[in-house]
Amino acid sequence: MNIPLTGLDAYVLSHGHYDHSGGFEAIFRSDPNAKIYARKEALDTYLSASGGMHEISVPQNVAAYRERFIPVGGIREILPGAYLVPHTTENLGQIGEKNKLYKQVQGQIVPDDFIHEQSLVLDTGQGLVIFNSCSHAGAVNIIREARDACGQKPVCAYIGGLHMKGRKNGAEICAFSEEEIDHLCEAFRQEGVARIYTGHCTGTPGFEKLQDQLGDRLYRLTTGMQFCL
């Protein structure tokens, strides 16, 4: 796309998993001044029990640039109208355990409560635009957290994966029940979210089920996509 990875105002890490952080080494190498806003827990140890317990933390070659990370606690405005919003919803560890996601705390493995995850929220003239890469804590919770942080303004767009993808007998499936899909779609409608751009961990079966209910509010999120509100 001929977009140089140098001289940008801000970089943001959504959460402390390898598949959302591994590319930052290329940025660090190309831009000696690059700083990344991340939750202060982002470089801790995270694990998944899907397919056997294994580590999914930020790769060591990226974590080695620790001095480039700007640790964030609480809500933070990083540029005018651009906010980093943490999770404030209680009992998120229950969601972590359900999804077989864990973290290591003082040598003990406990359910991940996604304290290392954050949303990037842009306060635009048309409403809020919410970016959350995987929506581990649930899109409904994330929308409410963003609105609480930004004065209950309407949400014009939600962008990110919805963590709906699963596997059964070697085939990709939608891991959400019909009731969970109904609840999610109804929440998008009730919150007045005009557009939902989703991909990655949403998966194709999940996307198709959402499309049945959300119609032209739903868009496939693809690499290199550009859009205007």
Side-chain angles (χ1 to χ4, degrees):
M1 296 178 68
N2 297 317
I3 299 174
L5 296 177
T6 55
L8 300 185
D9 294 320
Y11 299 86
V12 175
L13 176 61
S14 59
H15 59 290
H17 288 173
Y18 72 94
D19 54 331
H20 292 265
S21 56
F24 275 121
E25 184 180 25
I27 292 173
F28 291 143
R29 289 180 177 277
S30 64
D31 186 351
N33 298 312
K35 300 286 187 178
I36 293 176
Y37 290 92
R39 305 307 302 175
K40 57 187 179 65
E41 300 84 1
L43 296 182
D44 292 348
T45 300
Y46 298 97
L47 307 106
S48 171
S50 295
M53 190 70 78
H54 58 284
E55 187 173 345
I56 55 173
S57 310
V58 171
Q60 287 302 310
N61 62 324
V62 175
Y65 290 86
R66 185 175 292 268
E67 75 282 357
R68 302 282 200 99
F69 287 79
I70 301 173
V72 179
I75 299 168
R76 180 160 179 173
E77 186 175 16
I78 58 173
L79 293 168
Y83 299 87
L84 299 179
V85 179
H87 289 310
T88 53
T89 304
E90 297 181 349
N91 301 317
L92 292 181
Q94 295 176 4
I95 298 177
E97 188 163 32
K98 177 184 176 183
N99 288 287
K100 300 181 179 180
L101 293 171
Y102 299 90
K103 64 179 182 177
Q104 186 169 302
V105 179
Q106 297 179 345
Q108 300 295 314
I109 295 176
V110 299
D112 194 349
D113 58 1
F114 311 116
I115 194 171
H116 58 106
E117 185 174 74
Q118 61 187 347
S119 299
L120 170 63
V121 183
L122 305 183
D123 188 352
T124 75
Q126 298 186 50
L128 305 179
V129 177
I130 302 172
F131 295 83
N132 188 293
S133 293
C134 282
S135 308
H136 287 119
V140 177
N141 292 330
I142 291 164
I143 290 169
R144 290 170 181 166
E145 291 166 351
R147 295 194 68 202
D148 286 345
C150 298
Q152 296 301 321
K153 294 181 180 179
V155 177
C156 62
Y158 188 97
I159 302 164
L162 297 172
H163 216 257
M164 299 173 68
K165 184 163 57 175
R167 297 197 74 80
K168 185 176 181 180
N169 299 325
E172 184 180 310
I173 63 168
C174 175
F176 276 29
S177 66
E178 294 299 329
E179 182 179 0
E180 288 173 320
I181 292 169
D182 290 344
H183 177 64
L184 177 58
C185 291
E186 181 60 25
F188 278 135
R189 288 189 289 264
Q190 286 186 351
E191 296 291 345
V193 183
R195 304 185 196 179
I196 302 103
Y197 295 86
T198 191
H200 183 48
C201 55
T202 299
T204 299
F207 185 92
E208 291 173 351
K209 287 180 179 292
L210 292 175
Q211 195 168 46
D212 289 341
Q213 294 199 41
L214 296 173
D216 59 7
R217 290 189 190 211
L218 191 69
Y219 299 82
R220 290 188 186 274
L221 182 61
T222 60
T223 303
M225 173 181 281
Q226 301 182 51
F227 59 89
C228 298
L229 299 175

